[in-house]
């Protein structure tokens, strides 16, 4: 049987299926496995041999902190405190008036439940300076607003560095 198409009627298992025949030029030199092709530059990651990733797994650069202990962290625009335990029927004015005595409030978020329309029980209050926010945390924590006890703390904090971990990392370097 001779076919005019470059397809063969049998596959490797002997079953009769039509599949395309593979054209191979045996005069062409084929590079050995593992050898880099000459004349062709590979772009992107891994295209060149460098030691950027050799032996540096899990070691990352970090910013130096002046203080070793953890504490409040500044947000983009100011110092934010979180108030929990806010009464569900509290109004924005109630929270604003209670916290305005500690400093100028830049922003106040009092989130409401979409379904019920009541306060979810927490608020975010942003102050311009750390001193004002610190005074609000110390002055209003464990105080009551609308007969409900509030818990006031920093919304963003820096993690405390562990001196033992730092010493261990330096010894491995």
């Amino acid at each position: 049987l001779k076919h005019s198409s470059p397809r063969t009627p049998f596959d490797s298992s002997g079953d009769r299926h039509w599949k395309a025949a593979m054209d191979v030029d045996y005069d062409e030199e084929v590079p050995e496995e593992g050898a880099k092709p000459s004349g062709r530059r590979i772009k992107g990651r891994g295209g060149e041999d460098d030691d950027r990733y050799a032996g540096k797994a899990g070691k990352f650069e970090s910013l130096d902190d002046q203080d070793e202990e953890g504490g409040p962290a500044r947000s983009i625009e100011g110092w934010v405190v979180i108030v929990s335990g806010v009464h569900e029927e509290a109004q924005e004015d109630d929270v604003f008036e209670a916290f305005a005595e500690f400093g100028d409030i830049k922003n106040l978020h009092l989130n409401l439940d979409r379904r019920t329309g009541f306060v979810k029980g927490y608020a975010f209050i942003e102050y311009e300076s750390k001193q004002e926010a610190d005074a609000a945390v110390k002055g209003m924590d464990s105080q009551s607003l609308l007969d409900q006890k509030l818990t006031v703390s920093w919304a963003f904090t820096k993690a405390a560095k562990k001196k033992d971990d730092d010493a261990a990392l330096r010894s491995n370097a």
Side-chain angles (χ1 to χ4, degrees):
L1 287 166
K2 185 166 181 170
H3 298 284
S4 61
S5 76
R7 297 166 33 139
T8 57
F10 298 101
D11 64 5
S12 60
S13 65
D15 293 335
R16 188 173 179 102
H17 295 286
W18 289 95
K19 75 176 200 177
M22 199 166 111
D23 294 327
V24 178
D25 185 6
Y26 291 104
D27 295 332
E28 185 180 318
E29 288 186 27
V30 179
E32 294 180 20
E33 267 187 56
K36 286 190 171 183
S38 61
R40 190 175 133 211
R41 189 172 182 315
I42 299 174
K43 295 181 180 179
R45 292 186 198 171
E48 54 193 42
D49 290 331
D50 60 6
D51 61 347
R52 283 188 291 181
Y53 303 110
K56 295 184 180 180
K59 296 180 185 175
F60 302 100
E61 294 178 7
S62 64
L63 297 173
D64 293 330
D65 289 332
Q66 282 75 20
D67 51 347
E68 292 290 321
E69 74 279 349
R74 189 179 198 283
S75 72
I76 301 296
E77 297 178 7
W79 297 87
V80 181
V81 295
I82 184 168
V83 182
S84 59
V86 178
H87 193 275
E88 65 180 8
E89 294 181 0
Q91 297 292 315
E92 193 170 311
D93 291 342
D94 299 329
V95 178
F96 188 90
E97 288 172 8
F99 283 87
E101 65 184 74
F102 300 102
D104 188 30
I105 296 175
K106 281 181 66 176
N107 205 346
L108 178 102
H109 281 280
L110 190 64
N111 292 324
L112 304 177
D113 187 320
R114 287 187 202 147
R115 189 173 53 86
T116 64
F118 290 118
V119 174
K120 283 190 172 184
Y122 64 92
F124 291 104
I125 302 171
E126 184 176 347
Y127 290 96
E128 181 69 39
S129 72
K130 182 178 179 182
Q131 292 76 21
E132 294 172 342
D134 192 41
V137 169
K138 290 176 181 172
M140 288 300 291
D141 191 31
S142 300
Q143 298 298 315
S144 64
L145 179 68
L146 300 178
D147 297 328
Q148 196 155 334
K149 184 179 171 185
L150 300 177
T151 304
V152 184
S153 62
W154 295 101
F156 305 108
T157 58
K158 292 182 270 190
K161 283 189 173 183
K162 295 181 182 176
K163 293 181 182 182
D164 297 337
D165 289 348
D166 288 346
L169 286 174
R170 284 190 210 107
S171 67
N172 290 339

